Amino acid sequence: MPSLDDLLRAAVAGVGGSERTGQVEMAHAVADAVERGEHLLVQAGTGTGKSLAYLVPAVQHAVDSGHTAVVATATLALQAQVVDRDMPRLARALEPLLGRRPTYALVKGRRNYVCRHKLEGGFPDDDADTLLELGEVDRAASRLGQEVVRLRAWAEQTESGDRDELVPGVSERAWRQVSVSAQECLGSRCPMAAECFVERSRAAAREVDVVVTNHSFMAIDAFEGRALLPEHDVLVVDEGHELVDRVTSTVTDELTAAAVRAAGRRAGRQAEAAEALEDAAALLEATLEPMAEGRLTGVPDALALALGRVRDVARQAQSELKPAAGEEPDGARKVAQAAVEELFDTAARMLEERELDVVWLAKDPRRGPVLRVAPMSVAMLVRERVFDERTVLLTSATLELGGSFEAVAGTLGLRGEGAPRWRGLDVGSPFDYPRQGIAYVARHLPAPGRDGTAPQTLDELEALVRAAGGRTLGLFSSMRAAREATEELRSRLEDTDIVLACQGEDQIATLVREFARDARTCLFGTLSLWQGVDVPGSSCQLVVIDRIPFPRPDDPLASARSQAIARMGGNGFMAVSATHAALRLAQGAGRLIRRADDRGVVAFLDSRMMTARYAGFLQRSLPPFWPTADRDLVLGALRRLDETAPPPLPVAEPTLRGLTGAVAGTSMAAAAPPVPPDAARTAVTRGHAWGAAEDEELRDGVALGLTSEELAESMELPLDVVRARLDGLGLQAGTGPTLTFE
């Protein structure tokens, strides 16, 4: 096995980079942690090249030991960056030294892939007014119909079935028509298991050196015991500061009256409890409507009655939907089972009132009252399920707060009695932040209020964007603020060639590519853009942050955590709210300088960054930009940058993916597809898989002159299923007996 230094030098040369002290230090620390079996937290500033610093030792370990290493990123965008950009070049560079090309695979949740069985009509439509069958879709009727037709055509061409490969994207509603959740999937009982995009990609991933996934999928694998990832002894968590939030989201459950009604519709005629579910939904809705938003310190009697009703009816429906012995569930029954099972589990959990669970009510403008439950802390869960039985390496540009890793370590369960061994390392950043960037606080603006963005703040934003000539990434604390600013500036900037794009108008990856490609484009959005957006060069010379990203004062989890810390004698605000804001600010400001020749301004439109008592703590969380509150100086600097800016850097376009999710032709992974089911299918019609024997029985019945009703009764199948299969085979059922006996 070549030395780590030799492999790292080859990898750096392969990507056209140069050796960086922090990168070398981090790579050796990762290799040492793997060898010792000791967990590692590495703070690596932007520009360190941390992906190579963990990928090279991960590949070295996998090739040497024969054990897979798993890399989990915070977002799908970061995941794609590792798979599309980093691993292909790394694999080519290391092949001569290792004697073979390292292999890798991309693994995502089931909802990210097309379901072939659903395309064939194996599941009921998610929307009652949506027609899925190709012959029934009116191509000109609606955007939805056109999107579904395009999805069908794409599904016949794609090798991976991965949604990210589809450009331009489609609406979420259209995507639901061709995908299923893990709970709805028929698994090995699916008649199209051998052709399943998900199963084929996961089979291919079992034999590779490095599997790339995201935090949420890794958390599902760890907490729900589904064994979705291959066995591994090394786990790298990139953007590790996000892990706790991602895990919390994974173990958060919610309940709405609409979800109860939807479960009832899905149960349909398959369960007598379907009507009772509608009644339970009405009771839950009537109970939740008058209740105030916020945390529930206990479950009121009326709510306990409504939750008990949902739980009991869901349990009854579960029993009725259970297939008879030897009977295989079809798609419709499986969807119904998944829906009522989720209702039962969530209602039962809320009624348990576990000590560390927080229950709260939110009022969604579209969905109505939403009841949620989540653990106050996931520290012990993370310790037991993530850090046990594997070596974990967490890395991020923001793991060290106040000069220590202790705060982040505590949220991960790495402090206290029984905590596993770990160490922290800060390898710094190669960038000269004071010379490359300006941190500007608009001190003259009023402090942000709750009544939307102040006119003075919009004036300031307009002036900054005009001076920059576009080139602006706007990071907002809420989608309402992002949309308001987008619409206002579109109106104000009609006299320019500046283009405004807002999160939600297309897929994030598509919007970021448009932003990177056109220097006159501005991209506004919220949380998804605060991290993971990597747009080096002249397209991003201004990052605007509208306000300090504190958790909302009424955020139930944040307030519960603050109160718990205060009861133990700590400072709840600094430990929870200020720490949350510091992490977000550091991540957001880090979007500006991505390369050694980048220049620009980070503008804070919140005067509290200079005036509040906690301002110093927040400022110390930022990269060490040159600070100022001089508006004229900043506007002048932006104009000069715009006038002298080079053209935007080339933008990598989406590409076709292979079975492993890697760019087609770049991975050497190979694995046999899953074994097909014993009974070969001839087709799937209305959710029923037809075998050769059933088709023969159908033909015999037609030859005997049986009516479609008699055929359905004889074969114990729904009438519409039999009629659809008759049409598919070009058969004509009989019209009844030809003789009349009197």
Side-chain angles (χ1 to χ4, degrees):
M1 174 65 64
S3 72
L4 177 63
D5 286 326
D6 289 341
L7 292 172
L8 186 58
R9 276 193 293 269
V12 170
V15 302
S18 57
E19 188 173 283
R20 301 165 189 175
T21 303
Q23 184 182 63
V24 174
E25 185 181 6
M26 177 176 171
H28 279 277
V30 170
D32 185 58
V34 171
E35 184 177 346
R36 293 171 177 266
E38 180 180 76
H39 305 304
L40 177 69
L41 276 60
V42 183
Q43 178 160 292
T46 305
T48 303
K50 68 179 186 298
S51 59
L52 285 187
Y54 62 68
L55 286 172
V56 171
V59 167
Q60 182 186 42
H61 169 73
V63 172
D64 189 38
S65 68
H67 297 148
T68 298
V70 172
V71 174
T73 67
T75 62
L76 293 177
L78 287 170
Q79 188 183 56
Q81 176 183 316
V82 173
V83 171
D84 295 346
R85 190 173 71 184
D86 298 332
M87 279 303 301
R89 295 187 290 183
L90 175 69
R92 285 194 299 270
L94 298 188
E95 183 176 8
L97 280 75
L98 295 173
R100 69 171 177 84
R101 181 171 293 197
T103 56
Y104 55 97
L106 176 66
V107 176
K108 299 181 183 180
R110 196 169 290 273
R111 271 287 189 196
N112 293 284
Y113 297 89
V114 165
C115 172
R116 288 191 181 276
H117 188 34
K118 192 163 190 175
L119 279 174
E120 294 284 348
F123 287 82
D125 297 351
D126 282 6
D127 294 307
D129 60 343
T130 301
L131 301 176
L132 255 184
E133 301 239 352
L134 187 58
E136 297 174 312
V137 174
D138 183 349
R139 291 169 174 79
S142 66
R143 176 187 171 193
L144 179 64
Q146 293 168 0
E147 287 181 327
V148 171
V149 170
R150 186 158 71 86
L151 278 169
R152 285 182 168 278
W154 170 73
E156 294 301 316
Q157 302 169 355
T158 176
E159 184 181 352
S160 70
D162 183 348
R163 182 179 184 178
D164 280 353
E165 185 184 304
L166 181 66
V167 177
V170 296
S171 66
E172 184 62 30
R173 187 180 177 201
W175 185 255
R176 286 201 308 268
Q177 307 312 311
V178 298
S179 65
V180 297
S181 68
Q183 291 77 17
E184 295 166 344
C185 176
L186 296 175
S188 60
R189 295 188 297 267
C190 177
M192 304 191 74
E195 303 165 58
C196 176
F197 288 119
V198 176
E199 296 305 322
R200 292 171 70 201
S201 69
R202 291 182 186 172
R206 293 188 191 113
E207 305 300 325
V208 301
D209 298 313
V210 176
V211 167
V212 184
T213 187
N214 58 67
H215 292 186
S216 298
F217 191 84
M218 181 272 293
I220 292 171
D221 176 77
F223 293 105
E224 298 187 9
R226 295 191 205 164
L228 304 174
L229 293 170
E231 288 188 18
H232 56 282
D233 59 352
V234 171
L235 169 65
V236 179
V237 182
D238 200 348
E239 300 300 328
H241 66 280
E242 278 292 302
L243 181 60
V244 168
D245 284 347
R246 301 285 170 171
V247 168
T248 301
S249 294
T250 300
V251 295
T252 297
D253 292 320
E254 68 175 38
L255 189 64
T256 66
V260 181
R261 289 194 175 94
R265 287 195 301 272
R266 285 170 175 148
R269 299 177 182 177
Q270 302 177 84
E272 293 181 5
E275 187 174 340
L277 282 168
E278 173 60 37
D279 294 339
L283 176 60
L284 180 64
E285 188 171 51
T287 304
L288 295 179
E289 281 290 353
M291 292 176 61
E293 284 189 285
R295 182 185 176 191
L296 305 178
T297 54
V299 178
D301 291 343
L303 180 57
L305 181 64
L307 289 173
R309 180 63 176 158
V310 171
R311 178 198 59 195
D312 295 343
V313 174
R315 180 163 48 200
Q316 178 187 343
Q318 278 182 303
S319 177
E320 294 177 0
L321 288 168
K322 187 176 181 180
E327 179 185 335
E328 298 291 348
D330 60 13
R333 184 176 292 267
K334 185 68 175 177
V335 169
Q337 284 179 313
V340 298
E341 181 178 342
E342 185 175 351
L343 291 182
F344 174 80
D345 290 343
T346 303
R349 177 182 176 183
M350 290 175 175
L351 285 167
E352 283 182 37
E353 298 189 64
R354 302 172 189 171
E355 184 180 356
L356 290 180
D357 267 355
V358 178
V359 180
W360 72 96
L361 179 67
K363 298 290 182 74
D364 187 289
R366 183 175 58 87
R367 304 166 64 203
V370 182
L371 200 60
R372 295 191 174 98
V373 56
M376 184 186 302
S377 170
V378 295
M380 292 302 102
L381 281 173
V382 173
R383 177 195 290 187
E384 295 169 8
R385 305 291 178 84
V386 176
F387 286 90
D388 193 25
E389 297 182 1
R390 61 172 72 87
T391 301
V392 182
L393 315 158
L394 284 96
T395 183
S396 168
T398 49
L399 285 180
E400 191 176 25
L401 298 175
S404 171
F405 289 93
E406 293 296 318
V408 171
T411 65
L412 296 167
L414 296 179
R415 293 173 59 189
E417 185 179 352
R421 290 188 309 148
W422 65 278
R423 76 180 183 104
L425 173 68
D426 183 357
V427 298
S429 170
F431 296 152
D432 188 351
Y433 283 109
R435 295 178 64 87
Q436 292 184 245
I438 296 172
Y440 165 59
V441 177
R443 188 172 185 174
H444 59 283
L445 294 179
R450 296 186 178 183
D451 301 323
T453 307
Q456 302 97 309
T457 301
L458 290 170
D459 293 342
E460 186 78 7
L461 179 59
E462 179 190 356
L464 289 165
V465 170
R466 281 184 180 274
R471 310 179 191 277
T472 303
L473 178 64
L475 304 177
F476 293 82
S477 55
S478 70
M479 274 309 302
R480 186 185 73 169
R483 293 192 189 104
E484 179 185 349
T486 302
E487 293 306 315
E488 182 66 23
L489 262 67
R490 277 176 178 160
S491 174
R492 294 188 183 203
L493 298 174
E494 285 182 344
D495 60 323
T496 73
D497 59 353
I498 296 173
V499 177
L500 275 296
C502 187
Q503 180 181 343
E505 295 174 345
D506 205 328
Q507 295 183 85
I508 290 290
T510 303
L511 291 172
V512 171
R513 281 194 298 271
E514 292 173 355
F515 173 55
R517 188 182 297 116
D518 181 8
R520 297 302 171 200
T521 294
C522 302
L523 176 58
F524 291 178
T526 183
L527 187 59
S528 297
L529 301 184
W530 284 73
Q531 60 191 16
V533 174
D534 185 16
V535 180
S538 61
S539 289
C540 183
Q541 294 188 159
L542 172 63
V543 173
V544 177
I545 295 176
D546 72 329
R547 64 167 68 198
I548 298 171
F550 290 123
R552 288 175 47 180
D554 58 352
D555 182 285
L557 277 178
S559 60
R561 290 166 180 164
S562 294
Q563 292 167 14
I565 291 169
R567 283 195 298 270
M568 294 185 290
N571 186 326
F573 172 79
M574 292 302 293
V576 178
S577 297
T579 297
H580 176 279
L583 285 169
R584 289 281 177 265
L585 287 171
Q587 286 291 313
R591 300 310 98 203
L592 180 68
I593 305 298
R594 311 302 297 174
R595 302 198 322 177
D597 57 353
D598 284 348
R599 301 289 187 273
V601 173
V602 178
F604 301 92
L605 308 185
D606 189 335
S607 57
R608 294 175 296 176
M609 284 293 295
M610 290 184 68
T611 61
R613 58 183 173 78
Y614 46 79
F617 174 76
L618 298 181
Q619 291 169 14
R620 288 191 295 273
S621 73
L622 301 173
F625 297 117
W626 187 77
T628 185
D630 189 328
R631 182 175 189 265
D632 293 336
L633 182 150
V634 167
L635 294 177
L638 286 170
R639 292 189 190 101
R640 287 192 297 275
L641 285 171
D642 180 39
E643 292 166 0
T644 60
L649 296 172
V651 177
E653 297 298 333
T655 185
L656 296 178
R657 297 184 183 276
L659 267 184
T660 61
V663 174
T666 61
S667 176
M668 295 171 61
V675 178
D678 292 336
R681 66 170 182 88
T682 58
V684 177
T685 305
R686 299 290 174 89
H688 179 73
W690 289 81
E694 290 172 295
D695 280 347
E696 192 62 28
E697 183 179 351
L698 199 61
R699 289 188 176 92
D700 289 342
V702 170
L704 291 171
L706 299 181
T707 65
S708 53
E709 289 81 4
E710 291 169 331
L711 287 168
E713 182 177 354
S714 170
M715 302 180 74
E716 298 182 344
L717 289 173
L719 178 60
D720 63 333
V721 172
V722 170
R723 284 175 171 167
R725 187 56 183 152
L726 287 168
D727 290 342
L729 293 173
L731 298 175
Q732 181 72 44
T735 57
T738 56
L739 299 176
T740 302
F741 293 90
E742 297 182 359

